[in-house]
Amino acid sequence: MAMALALSERGRGRTGANPNVGCVIVKQGVIIGRGWTQPGGRPHAEEMALAQAGASAKGADIYVTMEPCAHESARGPTCSNAIIDARPKRVIVATLDADERTRRRGIDRLGDAGIPVSVGIREPEARRAMAGFLSRVEKARPFVTLKLALSLDGCIAMADGSSQWITGDRARAHAHLERARSDAILVGAGTAKADRPTLDVRTDGLTDRSPQPVILGSDPEMPAHWLQISEPAAIADLADINWLLVEGGAQTAASFLQAGMVDRLLLYRAPIIIGGGLSGIGDIGLEKLAAAHGQWRRTDLRPLGQDVLEIYERAA
Amino acid sequence: MAMALALSERGRGRTGANPNVGCVIVKQGVIIGRGWTQPGGRPHAEEMALAQAGASAKGADIYVTMEPCAHESARGPTCSNAIIDARPKRVIVATLDADERTRRRGIDRLGDAGIPVSVGIREPEARRAMAGFLSRVEKARPFVTLKLALSLDGCIAMADGSSQWITGDRARAHAHLERARSDAILVGAGTAKADRPTLDVRTDGLTDRSPQPVILGSDPEMPAHWLQISEPAAIADLADINWLLVEGGAQTAASFLQAGMVDRLLLYRAPIIIGGGLSGIGDIGLEKLAAAHGQWRRTDLRPLGQDVLEIYERAA
């Protein structure tokens, strides 16, 4: 299942409305098929892995990070039927589908066909790996990561707006990888106007994975392919966007935080002091200091060259 | 020498104008004497260790973190003479004395008496362990640590000044240990007036180690035992203070940073977002972002319960 979870990451940020699923087929200790949701959402992970395994899938163990689909689609066969046809020995599933059209139906269909199914193996990791899709289904909006490059004193720029550069090469490269794992990137109109960011992925081999740019607010000079929204809640209407990366600036960060629409903080902390610069996060309407506590849980903390990467997720 | 360095920490923050030295005497693999500079500066580490070893010091190895003193003092015998009298096999020294009255004289006196001396073992660690004394001798001022308890977005308080609490129990306990390792604590007049801090050490067993409170600026209601200075440069005049801990607020932090008088940053980072709060560091007169780089080197990064401890030292 660990390998299936790792494979699921390959599809992250490019599976459209579909979950980025991973699948591994094992027979007598040998891996005979590996799959992950392909760009745009098809083929599904199970379909890809079954194609690799061929007739050998008979009697094999199939590990898949999410319950195989059971609803008919014009775009392809249902994975539960394809698995039944392959006659595996058993199917191991990390988490159930959150989509009501399929929830438990894929499992039940396999069970009715006499194939033993285990559910719940590494479920927390699976929910994290496919959080974008799950957020869309459960919260009707994309999973939102707020990324900030900060000085030790929490500034994103000098008082005059200078911000190139806060962080070093390794942190910036990591941030570009994070872009490649996102369906869309959002910046505020102020940042768009001040920085004219390209919001593309400038990492060798991943330049074709640049996400959809989105702007919060209005900008008459916005490039034609950008999308525009007027408030954080409007991210619910962004079609086929599971993973949204919010890159600033301070007011945009604050408005998403105040709306309770940030699921994850991705902080790159540089070993510099700016002193009296522009704070990374504007007023979020906090009324009591105690209310700020218990909101965030640290999930990563490590050096990235001279900088430090800190990742926090919503505690609740 | 590792043990001698650890022993030297016992005296930190309470040796007056003297260095906090550590000393270990070893004979045939057995430790026969351990010493560290005692409160107020006497007895010296070597004197304490030699008293433990007694006549057994003859033929032993003496490890000491700083060159033994050679200048006569009304307060006690010179350690170099005491060592010569003890007839050890050899003396191992981490670093030379920075005090011109003694520099090399202690070593030379031992050599003249026929005792082999090695110098430079673990010197970087020794210089760090005794940085307070070395700063006084080399820079004519105490070694300054700037301590800040910050939110993820670099705030030390809400916009209305509320700051209890930013960090959790473990970070606050660590900060009290750091107070116990300091000769003096300094706060700005604004913080003194707003918070009326006691600046004592509230850790069981260490309450007698509360450092000298110092205020930057003027405060008519300041307690009688506090000291007062009008500008950062005046710390040069604080008598018998090797280790100074600057605890805020933002303007005080900025004035010490701008004066180039911060040697170490001790940052406690809480997993909270305040958003539009009071920044931890005021204007430091930075003119170019590039000039902020290369100033600080990370020496520690670790979780303290829910918070994160980050320590930086001057890179140059």
Side-chain angles (χ1 to χ4, degrees), chain A residues 142-146 182-186 212 214 229 232 235 238 241-246 256:
Chain A
F143 182 91
V144 177
T145 294
L146 172 61
S182 304
D183 295 292
I185 310 183
L186 182 145
Q212 169 68 50
V214 183
I229 62 173
I235 60 173
L238 295 173
I241 304 295
N242 285 346
W243 302 93
L244 175 65
L245 184 64
V246 174
F256 272 87

Side-chain angles (χ1 to χ4, degrees), chain A residues 179-259:
Chain A
R179 283 185 175 178
R181 301 168 77 223
S182 304
D183 295 292
I185 310 183
L186 182 145
V187 294
T191 296
K193 191 172 176 185
D195 296 354
R196 283 283 159 234
T198 54
L199 304 185
D200 53 359
V201 176
R202 296 188 289 276
T203 301
D204 285 350
L206 293 172
T207 50
D208 63 328
R209 298 188 62 160
S210 293
Q212 169 68 50
V214 183
I215 193 169
L216 175 67
S218 73
D219 179 357
E221 294 169 45
M222 182 179 83
H225 68 291
W226 287 38
L227 297 175
Q228 186 270 333
I229 62 173
S230 57
E231 55 171 349
I235 60 173
D237 304 325
L238 295 173
D240 294 351
I241 304 295
N242 285 346
W243 302 93
L244 175 65
L245 184 64
V246 174
E247 293 211 358
Q251 294 318 314
T252 299
S255 64
F256 272 87
L257 285 164
Q258 192 157 9

Side-chain angles (χ1 to χ4, degrees), chain B residues 3 6 9 30 38 61 72 82 88 94 110 115 133 174 187 189 207 209 217 224 229 241 253 272 286 290 298 302 310:
Chain B
M3 182 182 290
E9 290 286 338
V30 177
Q38 293 297 295
D61 293 337
E72 302 295 337
L110 294 175
I115 299 171
F133 172 80
H174 190 279
V187 294
T207 51
R209 299 190 62 161
I229 62 173
I241 304 295
I272 65 171
L286 184 67
R298 187 177 59 242
R302 60 190 148 109
E310 307 167 16

Side-chain angles (χ1 to χ4, degrees), chain A residues 152 165-166 269 293 306, chain B residues 152 165-166 269 293 298 306:
Chain A
L152 294 175
W165 296 107
I166 302 287
R269 182 89 55 188
H293 286 276
Q306 64 180 10
Chain B
L152 295 175
W165 295 105
I166 302 287
R269 183 88 56 187
H293 286 275
R298 187 177 59 242
Q306 64 181 11

